[in-house]
Amino acid sequence: MRRLALMCAALLATTLVVTPPVAADPAADDPVGPLQAYEATGPHAAALGSSYGPRRQVSDTGYVQDFVNGRLYATERGVFAVHGAAWAAYSRNGAHGALGFPTSELQPDGAGRGTGIQEFEGGLVVVSGDAAWAIAEPVLSEFRRLGGFEELGLPREDEVRSGRFWTQRFERGRVSASVRAGQDSLLLRRDRRNFVKSRIAPGESDYFFDYGRPGDAMLVGDWNGDGTDTLAVRRGNEFHLRNSLTSGPADVVIRYGRPNDVILVGDWNGDGTDTLAVRRGRTYHIRNSLTSGPADAVVHYGRPNDVILVGDWNGDGTDTLTVRRGRTYHVKNNLANGAADNVVPYGQATDVVLVGDWDGDGVDTLTVRRGNQYHVKNSMKAGAADRVAVFGRPGDRALVGNWDGKNHAYREKANLEPPAEIKPANGASMSPLSPAWANNSVNATVFRRNSVVSHEADGVVHQFTAYYDENGALVLARRSGGGRWEYERSMHTGNPTDAHNSISIAVDGSGYLHVSWGHHNSPLSYARSVAPLSLELGPKESMVGRGETLVTYPEFYRLPDGGLFFLYRFGRSGAGDLVLNRYDPPHRTLDAGP
């Protein structure tokens, strides 16, 4: 979560009332309207059953009406029904708040599988008999890239979240995708009720829940590193953290600072988890874990009476500070004293300002709030808002977060299909992989050891490689006998913005893949595959349990007996030791060398 936690009291109200936007009502020129006309004449009218409740607005141009067996949507993409098993899967996976609006009716898949498919802005629903499953972005793009239904078959479960990686099981395999870059939106709080909106748009909330007491001060953060923001109640210097957007007791309770301290929330070290910082005047006491104890860093910036905003202003994965003085913003891209890196004028001096990543590009920007109007800017520069949305009531308390872990701009992103094989003029051949991080040399730095390795088993040569994708996920790839590459986005991530964080891989004599990544004077990151020739890595583990806190330049070397040497620098530049460990495949043990 990259934003300023506003510390105002919750305001009184009990139900959500939507103020319609200026945009035209699609039924304004037609007394019947598209929903009612569809109810009478649409091809799925009988399947929907009888209607109940009025037509409701849920976005700038989106309207819905509920029926006994589903829901009818009227948007700029058309009027479509979602009903029966498709409705069960769609609603189970967040409905339009997560999958977007329908863009087609439920129709046969055209391949003779006896299944039906309904497409949505951010995914699709597959119906087979009485069962139905949703395939949502970004898993859907990866599923299609790997061959879709022909290669993997039908889905057999909903996506499962593990940290920043979402995985879904299909008939003939599973697909994993990284969801590191999320997209922020609004939560409106009244008394102790919280109305959640997954995308900034007018209309009703996607859902609501109760948490805390009406007078509680609330903070927003990703407290467990799963890519989803949730709430924390602050009572003095006690913080009650909840890891889901549901009612119930806190998952974690910690104490930090003093009862009257100003508290800021941010990911100060880029590890994907939000923690607390105490502000006292122009001094910031930053804690990098959600535990009690002394600050991990103390930073001085600005003036004691400055208004401070928190955000990731340059997309490097780390939150820093911005000083606001009237309508001018002094942006700092590192946690250090000194002059601002960027000075931006925006809005009016009296505006309420919110911070968030509104378009899912990994960079936080500003939104001006005026009553129940939100003027969203997707770049840190002066100029008109990129969009204006009306939501809720002027007196609502607004909080910002990525509530579902998703990036709803996926459908606007470029096709991720790898290019066709390249044939260089010198007679060599190149086999392109899937898109990878290319903002620096981390995937191809000169000191990288073992970017591609081979292992022969049963007369077949298997090639392996590893690299960071565009979101910093550790991707593993394998091909056998020179055939097609297979991919696995692992559960692990690195910091590709620092080119020191290269990846080293090796295959031992038993066929197990060993990977070490993400080091620049940092704790050891090492994992090995769960089975011979497998691309699935187990969890991080230590090697010998000592000399593993300040690692840089990892290198694997395979030995004639199938064992491995692992070489790295322990310590900092100019004050480090060379460490050599040995791995014994028959006993699967690691020993430290002399």
Side-chain angles (χ1 to χ4, degrees), residues 99 117-120 122-126 133-136 140 144 149:
L99 287 167
I117 294 177
Q118 185 161 16
E119 296 182 350
F120 300 85
L124 52 83
V125 169
V126 181
W133 307 99
I135 313 175
L140 178 58
R144 285 170 168 161
F149 296 108

Side-chain angles (χ1 to χ4, degrees), residues 56 71 101 125 162 169 243 524 543:
R56 311 188 312 281
R71 180 176 286 175
F101 296 120
V125 169
S162 177
R169 183 171 60 87
N243 287 326
L524 176 69
M543 286 188 173

Side-chain angles (χ1 to χ4, degrees), residues 171-319:
E171 287 177 307
R172 294 187 290 276
R174 63 190 184 93
V175 175
S176 296
S178 165
V179 290
R180 184 168 186 172
Q183 190 172 6
D184 290 323
S185 187
L186 300 175
L187 178 151
L188 301 183
R189 181 169 172 86
R190 302 174 186 165
D191 288 338
R192 61 188 300 267
R193 179 149 294 181
N194 305 282
F195 298 89
V196 181
K197 191 80 165 173
S198 295
R199 286 181 285 184
I200 291 186
E204 65 183 10
S205 62
D206 297 328
Y207 61 92
F208 64 84
F209 67 98
D210 296 332
Y211 187 56
R213 304 167 185 165
D216 279 333
M218 304 299 295
L219 303 172
V220 175
D222 182 358
W223 313 117
N224 60 357
D226 68 351
T228 303
D229 289 323
T230 51
L231 302 181
V233 167
R234 178 189 180 183
R235 294 169 185 160
N237 71 336
E238 194 172 73
F239 301 86
H240 300 253
L241 312 179
R242 181 83 175 153
N243 287 326
S244 62
L245 292 171
T246 55
S247 302
D251 295 297
V252 179
V253 179
I254 64 168
R255 291 179 176 83
Y256 189 55
R258 305 167 186 165
N260 61 345
D261 279 332
V262 175
I263 297 292
L264 304 175
V265 175
D267 182 358
W268 312 111
N269 62 353
D271 68 351
T273 302
D274 289 316
T275 53
L276 308 178
V278 164
R279 178 189 181 185
R280 295 169 186 162
R282 64 183 298 270
T283 302
Y284 302 83
H285 302 260
I286 297 170
R287 183 78 175 157
N288 286 326
S289 62
L290 289 169
T291 55
S292 300
D296 295 298
V298 179
V299 176
H300 305 282
Y301 189 54
R303 305 167 186 166
N305 60 345
D306 280 333
V307 175
I308 294 292
L309 305 176
V310 175
D312 181 359
W313 312 109
N314 62 353
D316 67 354
T318 303
D319 288 327

Side-chain angles (χ1 to χ4, degrees), residues 46 79 92 108 180 219 250 340 404 412 415 419 426 499 515 517 548:
V79 182
R92 186 175 68 241
R180 184 168 186 172
L219 303 172
D404 62 359
E412 302 166 7
N415 188 345
N426 62 4
V515 186
W517 72 97
E548 299 177 353

